[in-house]
Amino acid sequence: MTTYIVKPSDAWIVPGPPLATERQDLLVSRTLCLKAAFDDLDLRHVSNLFAEEIVYESQAIAQPITGRSNLIEFLGAKFKTVRAQPCGSERALLELGTVDLVAAKNYPILICSYAKARMALFAITLDHSDKIARIDILTALPKPEDARGLSVS
């Protein structure tokens, strides 16, 4: 058997078809709610949009976090840690953007930057009732620098 190793810098994604306008708009709206929660360190912007069986998965953590209450506890602790940082400490910035994913071309995402370097992409998936079913934090593929920023606040 032959094994091929592909470095992230040599990999690419074949994008899926574009989303319907209504679905794209809904994903953008939900993504902006997630952005508001991280910007304000306040889950009230988004927690009511989490599905009961939501999955939060990152290429930087060993195990996914599953379930609405577990994710609220996890993010609450994360936000508390950030709030405890000294005043004036640099924080990650989130910007609305799009990236090509297998799920769709021009998929709405959040681009996470720290010290002017793109570190990760946040992509959400909605369930049949339009609740957020997944939050995926992508750090390797697609590459954060491949995302296209949108001038929307």
Side-chain angles (χ1 to χ4, degrees), residues 5-47:
I5 297 180
V6 178
K7 299 181 298 189
S9 61
D10 295 336
W12 69 92
I13 290 178
V14 177
L19 294 166
T21 302
E22 302 80 28
R23 196 66 177 169
Q24 179 92 4
D25 291 347
L26 185 59
L27 277 165
V28 166
S29 171
R30 299 289 195 259
T31 300
L32 287 172
C33 290
L34 184 64
K35 178 185 183 313
F38 275 84
D39 286 350
D40 297 343
L41 303 173
D42 187 349
L43 286 169
R44 290 178 292 185
H45 292 290
V46 75
S47 61

Side-chain angles (χ1 to χ4, degrees), residues 57-63 137-139:
E57 195 159 8
S58 171
Q59 295 168 336
I61 60 173
Q63 295 293 322
I137 312 300
L138 311 168
T139 57

Side-chain angles (χ1 to χ4, degrees), residues 46-147:
V46 75
S47 61
N48 64 322
L49 299 175
F50 290 164
E52 283 302 317
E53 299 303 318
I54 190 168
V55 176
Y56 177 96
E57 195 159 8
S58 171
Q59 295 168 336
I61 60 173
Q63 295 293 322
I65 297 159
T66 58
R68 184 176 186 274
S69 60
N70 291 335
L71 181 56
I72 289 171
E73 182 180 335
F74 172 80
L75 290 176
K78 194 178 208 43
F79 290 176
K80 182 178 179 182
T81 299
V82 173
R83 279 193 295 272
Q85 297 298 311
C87 186
S89 295
E90 189 167 3
R91 284 182 42 195
L93 299 175
L94 295 175
E95 169 191 6
L96 182 66
T98 64
V99 73
D100 293 339
L101 296 176
V102 173
K105 182 178 178 81
N106 295 321
Y107 199 91
I109 46 89
L110 293 176
I111 304 165
C112 178
S113 301
Y114 183 77
K116 298 184 182 176
R118 289 184 174 185
M119 307 301 289
L121 305 175
F122 291 38
I124 64 169
T125 305
L126 303 179
D127 67 10
H128 62 280
S129 62
D130 297 332
K131 296 277 188 175
I132 300 173
R134 289 188 62 88
I135 301 172
D136 289 290
I137 312 300
L138 311 168
T139 57
L141 192 63
K143 298 175 284 197
E145 59 269 17
D146 290 342

